[in-house]
Amino acid sequence: MIIVLKPDVSQADIDHVVQRIKDHGLTPHVSAGKERTIIGVIGDERAIENLPLSIFPGVDKVMPILSPYKLVSREFKHEDTLVAVGPDRTIQIGGTRLHVMAGPCAVESLERLMTVAESVRAAGATILRGGAFKPRTSPHSFQGLGDEGLDHLIEAKKKTGLPIVTEVLDTRDVELVASKADILQIGTRNMQNFRLLIEVGQTDKPVMLKRGLSATIKEFLLSAEYIMKQGNPRVILCERGIRTFETQVRNTLDLAAVPVLKQLSHLPVIVDPSHATGKWELVAPMAKAAIAAGADGLMIEVHANPEEALCDGEESLKPPKFHAMMQELKKVAAAVGREL
Amino acid sequence: MIIVLKPDVSQADIDHVVQRIKDHGLTPHVSAGKERTIIGVIGDERAIENLPLSIFPGVDKVMPILSPYKLVSREFKHEDTLVAVGPDRTIQIGGTRLHVMAGPCAVESLERLMTVAESVRAAGATILRGGAFKPRTSPHSFQGLGDEGLDHLIEAKKKTGLPIVTEVLDTRDVELVASKADILQIGTRNMQNFRLLIEVGQTDKPVMLKRGLSATIKEFLLSAEYIMKQGNPRVILCERGIRTFETQVRNTLDLAAVPVLKQLSHLPVIVDPSHATGKWELVAPMAKAAIAAGADGLMIEVHANPEEALCDGEESLKPPKFHAMMQELKKVAAAVGREL
Amino acid sequence: MIIVLKPDVSQADIDHVVQRIKDHGLTPHVSAGKERTIIGVIGDERAIENLPLSIFPGVDKVMPILSPYKLVSREFKHEDTLVAVGPDRTIQIGGTRLHVMAGPCAVESLERLMTVAESVRAAGATILRGGAFKPRTSPHSFQGLGDEGLDHLIEAKKKTGLPIVTEVLDTRDVELVASKADILQIGTRNMQNFRLLIEVGQTDKPVMLKRGLSATIKEFLLSAEYIMKQGNPRVILCERGIRTFETQVRNTLDLAAVPVLKQLSHLPVIVDPSHATGKWELVAPMAKAAIAAGADGLMIEVHANPEEALCDGEESLKPPKFHAMMQELKKVAAAVGREL
Amino acid sequence: MIIVLKPDVSQADIDHVVQRIKDHGLTPHVSAGKERTIIGVIGDERAIENLPLSIFPGVDKVMPILSPYKLVSREFKHEDTLVAVGPDRTIQIGGTRLHVMAGPCAVESLERLMTVAESVRAAGATILRGGAFKPRTSPHSFQGLGDEGLDHLIEAKKKTGLPIVTEVLDTRDVELVASKADILQIGTRNMQNFRLLIEVGQTDKPVMLKRGLSATIKEFLLSAEYIMKQGNPRVILCERGIRTFETQVRNTLDLAAVPVLKQLSHLPVIVDPSHATGKWELVAPMAKAAIAAGADGLMIEVHANPEEALCDGEESLKPPKFHAMMQELKKVAAAVGREL
């Protein structure tokens, strides 16, 4: 940590800052420059990251040197983390082979779910997605089938062999969902629901953590750190678009986040182009772009009859379009040295 | 709702849309213009707000006419809502008299809390704030005293007579916090934690709902609608800054939201300049501006010794500065026809 | 255009709006719904787009149906525009074949320019970029060689055969730059420098228009409309990142803008991953993603010795890295049915 | 400047960075910490601000300590700058007395201008605003009366005695506009039209510089620095709203920018609530808030008949509303120790 002092700082102010740093077991190093005096802090600056040094008399600003997260960082663990999914852990997310999670936004009925599940499996998806508990912006919208939806997912898993990923919204549901799902999804609105992160961090299931709508990459990684700190290292990061001023799309897919996250962290990164764009016709180009950018997988919404969908029909692909897209994705994957 | 059709739409496509609207009990009204044909929908368009009409063949775009919220809207209830606070409900938020909630970011000890509580009461604050459960960006930061913090707040309330407002983070804590606090605070990161909104909507305590970091005003009102839909009409809206590209301040305080919210909704609106700016020296100018803009109250962080604060020391006012600010605020309040 | 009236609108207010619409030669169509009365406007609504109908008594809101641009729209011209570049117009931007514009951020000396020019041509770039007039955020930064820089570009063009693209900043320079460059670049900060757009619209040179840092897609297309309205149809759109809250990268590359622009407009779209990310190590993944998303070409910064660059050294590729990237891009291009 | 090195940096890399810093006449100071080695740079770091140190081998990141602007900074000039306006320089912007610039968005005719000019003077405005050259998002919108508009402004000034502020869009017009206007306005879209900044920096007229739609405060001050660097110290900063995700208002008025700018710079700061909000009913609350926040003045759009306005009718106040607002503003001004 570097503490930049004001041009007119007094010696007493300097001494005060120096003493407080020493109190925390760190070593301050004062360096008087031509225009400014600065204090460098030797030692693990995380010990004082909550000390509000910027308001100490004579202090102009405080610049951290280390990143605030540790367990998720590339410095902490150099090699890529592979997250194994499913009962027999045969699916490895984060390796050369890409994985596509596909299915409806919400589980609407067993029959509809089965139709989609069979078709996405046939097209090459390896994980089935489907929402049982749905976080909806309006209280007047369909909120999901809940428990019954989970059972439909279990049924679909039995018949197709596809492991399932589904969202958990409430700390009170974690145990239940963890007993049924293969991957626990933390949605974008809950990225900083810290109690929920702590709960899923105490399960032994992989967690797919979606980036918050307006979360910085640093905050995203700190939320992953919450999960890992509880002892669960099986975290999959998911970029799903951020909120910007542009209104032609639902959100702005931040694909540069993919290589940035892989530089900073050892965790696998997947992309959800369906929620990011909110328009089915943009899903295929953005899915291709995500793979070209280095994503380890995709999450895609598919619905047999989007006109009838109870949520997000606008962005859902019909099975034939999903199938065609998967064929194109295989080519792009091969072009960047990956398999699908 | 207005459905704009594509220039090359076929009659079959028009018929299909028309039929689907009729299926939902609404009346479509087709109008062929020079450049475009449009379909107006007569009836309560909320019946079809989840129907993904924009992907129907021949449809170009869909434009809702009504706002998606109802209970919180000015159309639903024309006169201002006054939210009564405290055991004897003598404090009324939303009237001519402004109310200031003040206190430390986090409850750190009974002694520290008491010092601040006495001083803010003396300066004119009418409600005591203090966090027992703290949502922190990093898992390595202080997370609050929890239950013990609540007890300290109760103690401070007994001694000062100030009703207390404190945050609830987890559905599992709502019952406990509602049994002790006078106002339940929903923090910015939980504005779309819908399960939590539903739980606090089932209590009989006033709820102070903070705007999400990147929530639109529409989404903010829909979250308030969640609470009201459960039967709790005592909602106080709180503007606390939104995320933008600017880095000189923590967030950008959106003061135009105050008159906009009061135009669209009957609920009272307060402003939190401490969290919005993240810098104590900006709190007083922004507090004055908030009152000038028409806010019904303020939430202000005060700490006897910000250098020692376990959270948000950077933005906390010392008691003498808080006192001085309150004197200035009285003048601004009077200038806009309010009392403090 | 649809005009939504307030719930309590009077007949006199309706009559007033109706009359004003008729005064402009358009036909109003009043439709009384259950909750609201609306007025549809038949005819070319652009005739009244500056009429502030939203403030007319009784009006709640105004919703345009048509897009405000015309000449650039896909409706106006259905087939893709190919922009021919160079003295003999052999390069066609917007077709199956992709084109890469490469070179240094700024022309620094003839010698340095020649080194880069030769190397990018050898690697497969077909157009040479280089700034002679540089718009710099700080007045204390290097502002470009000006006229001399243009002459170096001409010299490099003679020796390599590569047509040149360079930025013009000032209406007073348009004639000069147009006499020397093959493509006139309008930089991101000048996207709404309307006088400059008008001037380049009066030349017979192709114009590469960069999207403004915080321009919506609609505003971007309206700026292109300025150029086309002057009679110059040879406009190339360039996505180069938008400003968001994220600070890990310079800007957020909005790749969904590529398919969206191609849906709305017939103009070719290229992508500049160098300026968007501001980091050389992100250029290759974002270049690949851009092509996968459907871009018609790329603009890439290359410098023989980025450590010595007078501007944007951080994001410049060294020639060997550029060469390696071009090889990878060829594969991605082939995977999406394009050539490079 | 602090250069943070990578954990695995080699001695050769350190030596290389050290040498390059010395080459620029500055003194590097290497400090090996527990987790990282850092290099502090002693001397005026602006000498190396364009050196791309972040890409040097072994470098992790570079953190500037000094602000990149100088002439506009509070450190350079401690006391507030007063900008004198008008032929006899009797109006001083930046002192205890606030000044309101008011008038129509665009000059539409001499008659209309005179009506507004007389009424705003009567209400207490001290400067007349009016656009002769209008930057419009669409090429199909009214672009201003140009030269004729300037002459109308001169005429209005003669009759009312109010000095005039008007926008200049093009470097070719600066001489003309400077010969007629009392304050040259640089609009939000031209905040980084550096050639225009240089031209107005060479006149002897005060310049009102509007903040760019997505400009950081640092960039805003650097644009002011461009003007001052040319020798013109009479710069007035104008906050007018920034672009965010919120769509209920045209832009988000960033009132915290007022105290922040006044902390960082000695230049006066005014606020334009009309353009910021885009809605006339939000102008008065935001004008009051601006004064409460410490603004030195306001710019307000007034039109005798907004329904007929050729631009920005939505946000224009009618003279009686403007008059009423001025009365309220006087009270708020008094409450914060200012006069109006």
Side-chain angles (χ1 to χ4, degrees):
Chain A
M1 184 179 286
I2 300 293
I3 298 148
V4 182
L5 301 173
K6 289 185 178 160
D8 57 353
V9 66
S10 71
Q11 188 57 44
D13 289 343
I14 297 176
D15 294 345
H16 176 58
V17 173
V18 160
Q19 189 55 50
R20 286 299 296 278
I21 292 167
K22 285 183 181 165
D23 292 348
H24 283 79
L26 302 176
T27 308
H29 181 94
V30 180
S31 164
K34 205 170 167 183
E35 303 208 24
R36 294 297 183 92
T37 294
I38 63 172
I39 302 176
V41 177
I42 317 276
D44 187 347
E45 68 188 49
R46 291 182 192 95
I48 51 170
E49 72 184 355
N50 285 314
L51 191 65
L53 285 163
S54 66
I55 56 162
F56 277 51
V59 172
D60 182 13
K61 60 181 165 186
V62 174
M63 304 187 298
I65 285 177
L66 302 179
S67 55
Y69 42 81
K70 196 163 184 173
L71 306 172
V72 301
S73 74
R74 193 56 96 173
E75 288 178 34
F76 182 75
K77 174 163 181 280
H78 197 261
E79 62 280 14
D80 285 349
T81 286
L82 296 182
V83 175
V85 171
D88 46 5
R89 300 202 171 196
T90 45
I91 291 173
Q92 303 261 354
I93 298 180
T96 304
R97 189 171 172 77
L98 305 173
H99 289 279
V100 175
M101 307 175 182
C105 173
V107 177
E108 296 168 343
S109 73
L110 179 57
E111 195 193 348
R112 284 188 178 191
L113 180 63
M114 283 309 306
T115 312
V116 169
E118 300 284 8
S119 75
V120 300
R121 188 187 55 167
T126 49
I127 298 167
L128 177 65
R129 68 147 287 154
F133 300 105
K134 296 299 305 172
R136 303 304 297 277
T137 302
S138 167
H140 310 301
S141 298
F142 173 62
Q143 309 272 323
L145 295 182
D147 226 4
E148 189 191 346
L150 289 179
D151 291 337
H152 293 342
L153 285 166
I154 291 287
E155 194 63 24
K157 177 183 172 181
K158 268 189 210 153
K159 293 203 179 143
T160 61
L162 295 176
I164 53 181
V165 54
T166 197
E167 182 164 357
V168 58
L169 289 180
D170 191 323
T171 49
R172 297 171 299 188
D173 298 333
V174 171
E175 197 178 330
L176 172 72
V177 180
S179 73
K180 302 195 174 180
D182 297 289
I183 304 177
L184 300 175
Q185 176 177 327
I186 300 292
T188 190
R189 289 170 189 78
N190 281 315
M191 192 203 82
Q192 292 193 318
N193 182 339
F194 302 117
R195 292 297 189 86
L196 190 59
L197 299 180
I198 289 171
E199 287 297 319
V200 299
Q202 290 172 357
T203 70
D204 63 350
K205 286 292 170 72
V207 178
M208 192 189 74
L209 178 68
K210 286 194 152 187
R211 183 180 182 183
L213 211 54
S214 67
T216 62
I217 284 174
K218 196 172 83 177
E219 291 166 344
F220 189 17
L221 289 174
L222 278 167
S223 284
E225 182 95 352
Y226 258 95
I227 299 169
M228 287 193 71
K229 201 189 169 196
Q230 295 299 318
N232 186 348
R234 300 163 76 196
V235 181
I236 303 158
L237 303 170
C238 179
E239 159 63 30
R240 49 77 69 216
I242 57 174
R243 180 153 276 176
T244 69
F245 58 82
E246 181 57 62
T247 56
Q248 289 281 343
V249 280
R250 186 199 279 171
N251 295 122
T252 297
L253 185 62
D254 176 13
L255 283 181
V258 175
V260 169
L261 284 168
K262 293 187 84 70
Q263 220 173 23
L264 298 175
S265 173
H266 52 84
L267 295 172
V269 181
I270 71 164
V271 170
D272 175 349
S274 306
H275 283 90
T277 62
K279 294 188 175 176
W280 70 263
E281 67 266 36
L282 299 176
V283 171
M286 288 304 101
K288 286 185 254 182
I291 290 179
D296 296 310
L298 297 167
M299 173 169 252
I300 306 283
E301 289 195 345
V302 181
H303 197 285
N305 187 0
E307 287 190 11
E308 304 282 350
L310 297 180
C311 94
D312 287 349
E314 294 84 354
E315 70 204 40
S316 296
L317 294 181
K318 290 184 191 172
K321 288 218 185 290
F322 177 71
H323 184 86
M325 181 185 80
M326 288 293 282
Q327 297 309 107
E328 294 173 7
L329 292 177
K330 280 180 213 289
K331 291 185 216 163
V332 177
V336 295
R338 305 293 285 265
E339 276 168 65
L340 179 66
Chain B
M1 183 179 286
I2 300 293
I3 299 148
V4 182
L5 302 173
K6 291 185 179 161
D8 56 353
V9 64
S10 70
Q11 189 56 46
D13 290 341
I14 296 175
D15 295 344
H16 176 57
V17 174
V18 160
Q19 190 54 51
R20 285 300 297 276
I21 292 167
K22 286 182 181 167
D23 291 347
H24 284 79
L26 303 175
T27 310
H29 181 95
V30 180
S31 164
K34 205 169 168 184
E35 302 207 25
R36 294 296 185 93
T37 293
I38 63 174
I39 302 176
V41 178
I42 318 275
D44 187 348
E45 69 188 48
R46 292 183 191 95
I48 52 169
E49 73 186 355
N50 285 313
L51 191 64
L53 285 163
S54 66
I55 57 162
F56 277 51
V59 173
D60 183 12
K61 59 183 166 185
V62 174
M63 304 187 299
I65 285 177
L66 302 179
S67 55
Y69 41 81
K70 195 162 186 176
L71 306 173
V72 300
S73 74
R74 192 59 93 173
E75 288 177 36
F76 182 75
K77 174 164 180 278
H78 196 262
E79 63 281 13
D80 285 348
T81 286
L82 295 183
V83 174
V85 172
D88 46 6
R89 300 203 171 195
T90 46
I91 291 173
Q92 301 262 356
I93 298 180
T96 304
R97 190 171 172 75
L98 305 174
H99 289 279
V100 175
M101 309 176 182
C105 173
V107 178
E108 296 167 344
S109 72
L110 179 58
E111 196 194 346
R112 286 188 177 189
L113 180 63
M114 283 309 306
T115 312
V116 168
E118 299 285 10
S119 74
V120 300
R121 188 188 53 168
T126 49
I127 298 167
L128 178 65
R129 65 148 288 152
F133 300 105
K134 297 297 308 171
R136 304 303 297 276
T137 303
S138 167
H140 309 302
S141 299
F142 173 63
Q143 309 273 322
L145 294 182
D147 226 3
E148 190 191 344
L150 288 179
D151 291 337
H152 293 342
L153 285 166
I154 291 287
E155 194 62 25
K157 177 183 172 181
K158 267 190 211 154
K159 294 204 178 141
T160 60
L162 296 175
I164 53 181
V165 53
T166 197
E167 182 164 357
V168 57
L169 290 179
D170 192 323
T171 49
R172 296 171 301 188
D173 298 333
V174 171
E175 196 179 330
L176 172 72
V177 180
S179 72
K180 302 194 174 180
D182 297 288
I183 304 177
L184 301 175
Q185 175 178 328
I186 300 293
T188 190
R189 288 170 189 78
N190 282 315
M191 192 202 82
Q192 292 193 316
N193 183 338
F194 302 116
R195 293 295 188 89
L196 189 59
L197 299 179
I198 289 171
E199 286 297 319
V200 299
Q202 291 171 357
T203 71
D204 62 350
K205 287 292 171 73
V207 178
M208 191 189 74
L209 178 67
K210 287 193 150 188
R211 182 179 182 185
L213 210 56
S214 66
T216 61
I217 284 173
K218 196 172 83 176
E219 290 166 345
F220 189 17
L221 290 174
L222 278 167
S223 285
E225 181 96 352
Y226 258 96
I227 299 168
M228 288 193 69
K229 201 189 169 196
Q230 294 299 318
N232 186 348
R234 300 164 74 197
V235 181
I236 304 158
L237 303 171
C238 178
E239 160 62 31
R240 48 78 66 216
I242 57 174
R243 180 153 274 176
T244 68
F245 58 81
E246 181 57 63
T247 55
Q248 289 281 343
V249 281
R250 187 199 277 171
N251 294 123
T252 297
L253 185 61
D254 176 13
L255 283 181
V258 175
V260 169
L261 284 168
K262 292 187 85 70
Q263 219 173 23
L264 298 175
S265 174
H266 52 84
L267 295 172
V269 181
I270 71 164
V271 170
D272 175 349
S274 306
H275 282 90
T277 62
K279 294 186 175 178
W280 69 264
E281 67 267 36
L282 299 176
V283 171
M286 288 304 100
K288 285 185 256 184
I291 289 178
D296 296 310
L298 297 167
M299 173 168 252
I300 305 284
E301 289 195 346
V302 181
H303 197 285
N305 186 359
E307 287 190 11
E308 304 281 349
L310 296 179
C311 96
D312 287 349
E314 295 83 355
E315 70 203 40
S316 296
L317 292 182
K318 291 183 191 174
K321 287 217 184 292
F322 177 70
H323 184 85
M325 182 185 80
M326 288 293 282
Q327 296 310 106
E328 294 173 6
L329 292 178
K330 279 179 214 291
K331 293 185 216 162
V332 177
V336 295
R338 307 292 284 265
E339 278 168 65
L340 179 67
Chain C
M1 182 179 289
I2 301 292
I3 299 149
V4 182
L5 301 174
K6 290 184 179 161
D8 56 353
V9 65
S10 71
Q11 189 57 45
D13 290 343
I14 297 176
D15 294 345
H16 177 57
V17 174
V18 160
Q19 190 54 51
R20 286 299 296 278
I21 292 166
K22 285 183 180 166
D23 292 348
H24 283 79
L26 302 175
T27 308
H29 181 93
V30 181
S31 163
K34 204 169 166 185
E35 303 208 24
R36 296 296 185 92
T37 295
I38 62 173
I39 303 176
V41 178
I42 317 276
D44 187 349
E45 68 188 50
R46 292 183 190 94
I48 51 170
E49 71 184 357
N50 286 314
L51 192 63
L53 284 164
S54 65
I55 57 163
F56 277 50
V59 173
D60 181 14
K61 59 184 168 185
V62 174
M63 305 187 297
I65 285 177
L66 302 179
S67 54
Y69 42 81
K70 195 161 185 176
L71 306 172
V72 301
S73 74
R74 191 61 90 172
E75 287 177 37
F76 182 74
K77 175 165 181 279
H78 196 261
E79 62 281 12
D80 285 348
T81 286
L82 296 182
V83 174
V85 172
D88 46 7
R89 300 202 170 194
T90 46
I91 290 173
Q92 302 261 356
I93 297 180
T96 304
R97 190 172 172 76
L98 305 173
H99 289 278
V100 175
M101 311 177 180
C105 172
V107 177
E108 297 168 342
S109 74
L110 179 55
E111 195 193 348
R112 285 188 178 190
L113 179 63
M114 284 308 306
T115 312
V116 169
E118 299 284 8
S119 74
V120 300
R121 189 188 53 169
T126 49
I127 297 167
L128 178 65
R129 65 148 287 153
F133 300 105
K134 295 299 308 171
R136 303 304 297 275
T137 303
S138 167
H140 309 300
S141 299
F142 174 64
Q143 308 273 323
L145 294 182
D147 226 5
E148 190 191 346
L150 288 179
D151 291 338
H152 293 343
L153 284 166
I154 291 288
E155 193 65 23
K157 177 183 173 180
K158 267 189 209 153
K159 293 203 178 141
T160 61
L162 295 176
I164 54 181
V165 53
T166 198
E167 182 165 355
V168 58
L169 291 179
D170 191 325
T171 49
R172 297 170 299 187
D173 298 333
V174 170
E175 195 177 333
L176 172 72
V177 179
S179 73
K180 302 195 173 180
D182 297 288
I183 304 177
L184 300 175
Q185 176 178 326
I186 300 293
T188 190
R189 289 170 189 76
N190 282 315
M191 191 203 82
Q192 291 193 316
N193 182 337
F194 303 116
R195 293 297 189 86
L196 189 59
L197 299 180
I198 290 171
E199 286 298 318
V200 300
Q202 290 171 357
T203 70
D204 63 350
K205 286 294 171 70
V207 177
M208 191 189 74
L209 178 67
K210 286 194 153 188
R211 183 179 181 184
L213 211 53
S214 65
T216 61
I217 284 174
K218 195 172 85 175
E219 290 167 345
F220 189 17
L221 289 174
L222 278 167
S223 285
E225 182 96 352
Y226 258 96
I227 299 169
M228 287 193 69
K229 201 189 169 195
Q230 294 299 318
N232 186 347
R234 299 164 75 197
V235 180
I236 304 158
L237 303 171
C238 179
E239 159 63 31
R240 49 76 68 214
I242 57 174
R243 179 153 278 176
T244 69
F245 58 81
E246 181 56 64
T247 57
Q248 289 281 345
V249 281
R250 188 199 277 169
N251 296 122
T252 296
L253 186 62
D254 176 13
L255 283 181
V258 175
V260 169
L261 285 168
K262 293 187 84 72
Q263 219 173 22
L264 299 174
S265 174
H266 52 84
L267 295 171
V269 181
I270 70 165
V271 170
D272 176 349
S274 306
H275 283 90
T277 62
K279 295 187 175 176
W280 70 265
E281 67 266 35
L282 299 176
V283 171
M286 289 302 101
K288 285 184 257 184
I291 289 178
D296 296 309
L298 296 166
M299 172 168 253
I300 307 283
E301 290 195 347
V302 181
H303 197 285
N305 186 359
E307 287 189 11
E308 304 280 350
L310 296 180
C311 95
D312 287 349
E314 294 84 354
E315 70 203 40
S316 296
L317 293 180
K318 291 183 190 174
K321 287 217 185 292
F322 177 70
H323 185 85
M325 181 185 79
M326 289 292 282
Q327 297 309 109
E328 294 172 6
L329 291 177
K330 279 180 214 289
K331 291 184 217 164
V332 178
V336 294
R338 307 292 285 264
E339 278 169 63
L340 179 66
Chain D
M1 184 179 287
I2 301 292
I3 299 147
V4 182
L5 302 174
K6 289 184 179 162
D8 57 353
V9 64
S10 71
Q11 188 56 45
D13 290 342
I14 297 175
D15 295 345
H16 176 57
V17 174
V18 160
Q19 190 53 50
R20 285 298 297 278
I21 293 167
K22 286 184 180 165
D23 292 348
H24 283 80
L26 302 176
T27 309
H29 180 95
V30 180
S31 164
K34 204 168 167 185
E35 302 207 25
R36 295 297 185 91
T37 294
I38 63 171
I39 302 176
V41 177
I42 318 277
D44 187 348
E45 69 188 50
R46 291 184 191 95
I48 52 170
E49 72 183 357
N50 285 313
L51 191 65
L53 285 164
S54 66
I55 56 162
F56 278 50
V59 173
D60 181 13
K61 59 182 167 186
V62 174
M63 304 187 298
I65 285 177
L66 302 179
S67 55
Y69 42 81
K70 195 163 185 174
L71 306 172
V72 300
S73 74
R74 193 59 93 171
E75 288 177 36
F76 182 74
K77 175 163 180 280
H78 196 262
E79 63 280 14
D80 284 349
T81 286
L82 295 182
V83 174
V85 171
D88 45 8
R89 299 201 171 195
T90 46
I91 290 173
Q92 302 261 355
I93 297 180
T96 304
R97 192 174 171 74
L98 305 174
H99 289 279
V100 175
M101 310 177 180
C105 172
V107 178
E108 296 168 343
S109 74
L110 179 56
E111 195 193 348
R112 286 187 178 192
L113 180 63
M114 282 309 305
T115 312
V116 169
E118 299 285 10
S119 75
V120 300
R121 189 188 54 168
T126 49
I127 298 167
L128 177 65
R129 66 148 288 153
F133 300 104
K134 296 299 306 171
R136 302 303 297 277
T137 302
S138 166
H140 309 301
S141 299
F142 173 62
Q143 309 273 321
L145 294 182
D147 225 4
E148 190 190 345
L150 288 179
D151 291 338
H152 293 341
L153 285 165
I154 290 288
E155 195 62 24
K157 177 182 172 181
K158 267 189 209 153
K159 294 203 177 142
T160 60
L162 295 175
I164 54 181
V165 53
T166 198
E167 182 164 357
V168 57
L169 290 180
D170 191 324
T171 50
R172 296 170 301 189
D173 297 333
V174 171
E175 197 178 330
L176 172 72
V177 180
S179 73
K180 302 195 173 179
D182 297 288
I183 304 177
L184 301 175
Q185 174 178 330
I186 300 293
T188 191
R189 289 171 188 76
N190 281 316
M191 192 203 83
Q192 292 194 315
N193 183 337
F194 302 117
R195 293 296 189 86
L196 190 59
L197 299 180
I198 289 171
E199 286 298 318
V200 299
Q202 290 171 356
T203 71
D204 63 351
K205 286 292 171 72
V207 177
M208 191 189 73
L209 178 67
K210 286 194 152 188
R211 182 179 182 184
L213 210 56
S214 66
T216 61
I217 284 174
K218 195 171 86 175
E219 290 167 346
F220 189 17
L221 289 173
L222 278 167
S223 284
E225 181 97 353
Y226 258 96
I227 299 168
M228 287 194 70
K229 201 188 169 195
Q230 296 299 318
N232 186 348
R234 300 164 73 198
V235 180
I236 303 158
L237 303 171
C238 178
E239 160 62 30
R240 48 78 67 216
I242 57 174
R243 180 153 276 177
T244 69
F245 58 82
E246 182 56 64
T247 56
Q248 289 281 346
V249 282
R250 188 199 276 170
N251 294 123
T252 297
L253 186 61
D254 176 12
L255 283 180
V258 175
V260 169
L261 285 167
K262 294 188 84 72
Q263 218 174 22
L264 298 175
S265 174
H266 52 84
L267 295 171
V269 181
I270 71 165
V271 170
D272 176 349
S274 306
H275 282 89
T277 62
K279 294 187 175 176
W280 70 263
E281 68 267 35
L282 299 176
V283 171
M286 289 303 101
K288 285 185 257 184
I291 289 179
D296 296 309
L298 296 167
M299 172 167 253
I300 306 284
E301 289 195 347
V302 181
H303 197 286
N305 187 359
E307 287 190 11
E308 303 281 350
L310 297 179
C311 94
D312 288 348
E314 294 84 354
E315 70 203 41
S316 296
L317 293 181
K318 291 184 190 174
K321 287 218 184 291
F322 177 70
H323 185 84
M325 182 185 79
M326 288 293 281
Q327 296 310 108
E328 295 173 5
L329 291 177
K330 279 180 214 290
K331 291 185 216 164
V332 177
V336 294
R338 308 291 285 265
E339 278 168 64
L340 179 66

